[in-house]
Amino acid sequence: MLEQIKQTIAAYDMLRQGEPVLVALSGGADSVALLHGLRALGYPVRAFHLNHCLRGAQSDLDEAFCRELCMRLGVELTVERVDVAAAVREQGNGVEETARRIRYARLQDAAQGEKIATAHTADDNLETVLFHLVRGTGPKGLAGIPPVRGQIIRPLLRVERTQVEEYLASIGQDYVTDSTNADDAYTRNRIRHTVVPALRVIQPAAAQAAARLGYLLRQDEDCLGGLAQECLAQAARPDGAWDIVPLRQAHPAVRTRALRRMLAQSSMPLRDLTAQHIFALEQLLDSQKPSACCALPHGFTARREYSALRLVREQEQQVRDSVPLAVPSEQTLWNGSVRVSVHVLEKNEVFYKSFNTFCVDCGTIDFVSLCVRTRKAGDRIRLTETGGSRTLKKLLIDRKIPRCKRDGLAVVADKTGVIAVQDIGMDCSRSPQGGARMQIKIEGY
């Protein structure tokens, strides 16, 4: 067993010689063997035990065992107690998920930047592969438990459980057994007690076969992940969106990974992402609708903006449809990020025309109803003297303004109609005619 641990550490560059490491110690056979094994190989070890307080007196006995073991070996031990059942009631998640999340969080705190060694074995890996297989998974799930994940290392990943027990027997070391391991109400236990024994009848080396599969799949995943990152780099645009052409042209195996990385880079949690969501994104890339969209987990939405794809997180607060504009007005905030300012120009004041800054004739404005609002059905605007008025809807489509942006554009209007539209222009019927003038300035996006 010690030789396999040594080979695994070297193969995945887990630890430098003499590097300190924190061992996650439950008191079970695997973690006790890991603690002994790392010490025997000369690594400075500390241990961490989390009492989940789920099994009453038995949990306390496990804690006491870990304390006695570490005291006898001269190993520094950190013990914490967490009422996992209370956390489950508060958060509404499953017991296993909640316990795992808390355990890893506490381990990272206790490690203080050092490597953390967990006692996952080849048997655990086989059970994980089978668990992922029956739930439905891709190559990453079939690869099983990664040998290294950040500061987490798993030196026992090539060691089978029978080897662990033989090693402990050879050094006269006992261990504790978690009574819940016998409860087939847990899916993993049913796999361990029924499926794995049946597989071993067919192939005694099933655990090692699963380990080899994981090694090969991780190689493939590294290659495809690199290609996906290159694809995403080609598709990235300065405005935060992605060009759809490189994504469309990519091989499906590369495209799906690029889409997952895109979501991760947009700070979307991936824990609830499914194959159906990735398929919906692929459909969005191929959609003939230039403003199509699809919903994603955690309040995110993917939107087609003609030749681009954009990921946005929906705001919790709804935008007000209309905000009155008082004259003079100093930067009225509208739609969260757009500021609209209006003021009447002095007789000899020079108007400096710029993008989204408009000069209108005061005589054409009804100041009582003057407002900034979203577009409405039937809105029309005439941009030039030679052209006729057009519906704002048609104008936005012709200018290929994405649908998601159309309802966010600032429309300055009064009761008689549209005066000016952000990024579009001003109605020419409101142009100065020699009388008093008003400046409208729209800033933001």
Side-chain angles (χ1 to χ4, degrees), residues 202-259:
I202 301 170
Q203 172 53 274
Q208 297 303 326
R212 288 193 298 274
L213 172 65
Y215 176 77
L216 295 173
L217 287 174
R218 277 188 288 274
Q219 280 189 325
D220 292 349
E221 191 65 28
D222 286 345
C223 176
L224 291 170
L227 294 174
Q229 191 59 46
E230 291 177 8
C231 173
L232 204 55
Q234 293 175 3
R237 292 170 27 141
D239 63 354
W242 286 271
D243 285 326
I244 65 171
V245 174
L247 295 167
R248 273 180 174 172
Q249 293 177 343
H251 187 282
V254 174
R255 180 170 57 246
T256 56
R257 287 166 173 80
L259 291 172

Side-chain angles (χ1 to χ4, degrees), residues 4-296:
Q4 283 183 313
I5 293 176
K6 186 176 180 180
Q7 290 176 3
T8 302
I9 290 174
Y12 296 101
D13 195 24
M14 292 180 174
L15 292 169
R16 301 185 307 275
Q17 188 62 41
E19 181 179 356
V21 59
L22 179 70
V23 175
L25 182 65
S26 67
D30 299 338
S31 66
V32 171
L34 176 62
L35 182 68
H36 273 283
L38 290 175
R39 285 183 76 250
L41 292 172
Y43 293 100
V45 297
R46 294 187 296 124
F48 175 86
H49 176 78
L50 181 65
N51 188 333
H52 298 89
C53 302
L54 287 170
R55 294 176 290 119
Q58 192 175 53
S59 292
D60 295 337
L61 288 173
D62 293 350
E63 177 185 324
F65 173 86
C66 291
R67 289 184 184 276
E68 189 278 330
L69 173 64
C70 289
M71 183 179 297
R72 177 164 52 84
L73 297 178
V75 172
E76 178 186 340
L77 173 67
T78 300
V79 174
E80 293 191 24
R81 299 171 66 91
V82 175
D83 188 345
V84 171
V88 169
R89 290 192 295 271
E90 291 175 5
Q91 300 169 17
N93 297 320
V95 173
E96 289 180 283
E97 176 189 347
T98 302
R100 180 183 181 281
R101 179 181 53 77
I102 293 174
R103 182 167 60 253
Y104 276 102
R106 298 301 178 91
L107 272 168
Q108 287 183 332
D109 290 341
Q112 298 179 341
E114 293 180 359
K115 298 287 182 60
I116 300 169
T118 64
H120 294 92
T121 64
D123 295 73
D124 293 318
N125 181 66
L126 174 59
E127 293 160 10
T128 298
V129 169
L130 294 172
F131 182 72
H132 288 166
L133 177 64
V134 296
R135 291 183 65 187
T137 187
K140 190 173 182 179
L142 284 179
I145 302 172
V148 177
R149 181 174 58 83
Q151 71 188 100
I152 308 292
I153 61 172
R154 295 171 173 119
L156 294 184
L157 210 50
R158 293 181 178 178
V159 178
E160 296 192 38
R161 194 162 288 131
T162 55
Q163 294 174 286
V164 166
E165 294 170 356
E166 290 170 0
Y167 172 73
L168 292 176
S170 71
I171 63 174
Q173 175 64 62
D174 60 348
Y175 53 89
V176 297
T177 301
D178 187 340
S179 60
T180 61
N181 288 341
D183 186 354
D184 280 352
Y186 296 100
T187 303
R188 283 184 179 272
N189 287 348
R190 291 201 299 275
I191 292 174
R192 180 179 303 155
H193 299 149
T194 60
V195 180
V196 170
L199 284 178
R200 289 191 188 278
V201 172
I202 301 170
Q203 172 53 274
Q208 297 303 326
R212 288 193 298 274
L213 172 65
Y215 176 77
L216 295 173
L217 287 174
R218 277 188 288 274
Q219 280 189 325
D220 292 349
E221 191 65 28
D222 286 345
C223 176
L224 291 170
L227 294 174
Q229 191 59 46
E230 291 177 8
C231 173
L232 204 55
Q234 293 175 3
R237 292 170 27 141
D239 63 354
W242 286 271
D243 285 326
I244 65 171
V245 174
L247 295 167
R248 273 180 174 172
Q249 293 177 343
H251 187 282
V254 174
R255 180 170 57 246
T256 56
R257 287 166 173 80
L259 291 172
R260 288 183 65 89
R261 287 171 180 254
M262 178 190 302
L263 298 175
Q265 289 182 18
S266 300
S267 300
M268 193 193 99
L270 301 185
R271 62 180 179 271
D272 296 320
L273 185 71
T274 67
Q276 285 74 20
H277 292 124
I278 297 296
F279 178 73
L281 287 172
E282 291 186 287
Q283 294 292 102
L284 201 59
L285 295 175
D286 292 330
S287 176
Q288 299 302 310
K289 298 179 180 179
S291 296
C293 65
C294 71
L296 297 169

